[in-house]
Amino acid sequence: MDSAGQDINLNSPNKGLLSDSMTDVPVDTAVAAQTPAVEGLTEAEEEELRAELAKVEEEIVTLRQVLAAKERHCAELKRKLGLSALEGLKQNLSRSWHDVQVSNAYVKTSEKLGEWNEKVTQSDLYKKTQETLSQAGQKTSAALSTVGSAISRKLGDMSSSSIRHSISMPAMRNSATFKSFEDRVGNIKFPQ
């Protein structure tokens, strides 16, 4: 059987490939329109099919135009209502999340997690851990409060004592601590 008379199988892995016997031949559209598309069709049947094809293609074009007009109208209505693509996305996400929350899998999982949570919070280990952490938090809070009070007291002592006292000033400036502090901060002068 020659390749021109073979049926084309669109499910074949070789679809779209030309066989060795086929070559590229320019097609004259006027001649192609005169030759029957499928053997066994009369000229009248072929003409009827071509007319129907033209009509369907015209309807497709019309439907595309109508769809484009409807999409423009929809976009205009959304613009007038203040709805944006982001608003639509938020609504879709909200609806999807609601659908998830009412799904059987989500409800069953939530129930199971609730049961596990109840079991864990009622266990002795959980209660002991909670007490230990609570005590540690109280002790940490007390320690921080004590440190804060000590710092406040030291700062209060420093502000009440006269730093500009003539005797302590030279001694303080010559101390290693002050020199180290002065090196790190630099020479800062405050306007008086």
Side-chain angles (χ1 to χ4, degrees):
M1 182 191 301
D2 68 289
S3 61
Q6 291 179 350
D7 289 337
I8 297 174
N9 182 354
L10 296 178
N11 294 323
S12 166
N14 299 322
K15 69 181 174 189
L17 300 177
L18 294 175
S19 67
D20 294 341
S21 64
M22 296 179 123
T23 59
D24 289 334
V25 178
V27 177
D28 184 7
T29 55
V31 173
Q34 294 174 357
T35 59
V38 178
E39 291 182 32
L41 286 179
T42 64
E43 279 189 39
E45 291 171 332
E46 183 180 345
E47 189 62 36
E48 185 180 327
L49 288 175
R50 287 187 190 279
E52 187 176 346
L53 176 62
K55 182 181 176 186
V56 169
E57 287 176 342
E58 187 179 312
E59 288 175 353
I60 289 172
V61 169
T62 303
L63 289 171
R64 283 185 180 146
Q65 291 170 347
V66 169
L67 179 60
K70 292 286 185 183
E71 286 176 338
R72 284 191 302 272
H73 184 66
C74 179
E76 180 66 21
L77 291 174
K78 284 181 178 181
R79 186 189 63 75
K80 285 180 180 178
L81 290 171
L83 300 176
S84 64
L86 183 59
E87 236 358 91
L89 179 62
K90 287 195 306 191
Q91 288 175 352
N92 287 342
L93 288 174
S94 177
R95 189 177 320 115
S96 297
W97 178 241
H98 178 265
D99 292 346
V100 166
Q101 287 179 319
V102 296
S103 70
N104 288 337
Y106 183 85
V107 170
K108 288 179 182 178
T109 303
S110 294
E111 290 172 358
K112 189 55 96 174
L113 287 174
E115 291 172 13
W116 289 348
N117 183 42
E118 190 174 326
K119 287 179 184 178
V120 167
T121 56
Q122 299 304 319
S123 71
D124 290 336
L125 179 62
Y126 177 83
K127 289 178 182 178
K128 287 179 185 177
T129 303
Q130 186 179 24
E131 288 175 18
T132 303
L133 290 174
S134 177
Q135 290 172 359
Q138 291 172 355
K139 289 180 182 179
T140 303
S141 177
L144 290 175
S145 177
T146 303
V147 168
S149 296
I151 291 173
S152 294
R153 191 171 47 252
K154 288 290 183 180
L155 289 174
D157 291 348
M158 285 177 60
S159 67
S160 65
S161 68
S162 173
I163 294 178
R164 295 179 188 246
H165 192 271
S166 61
I167 297 174
S168 63
M169 192 58 142
M172 186 171 80
R173 284 199 169 176
N174 292 330
S175 72
T177 304
F178 187 82
K179 287 197 182 280
S180 172
F181 180 73
E182 189 176 42
D183 289 343
R184 287 196 175 119
V185 173
N187 294 329
I188 299 176
K189 302 207 179 211
F190 295 103
Q192 294 189 9

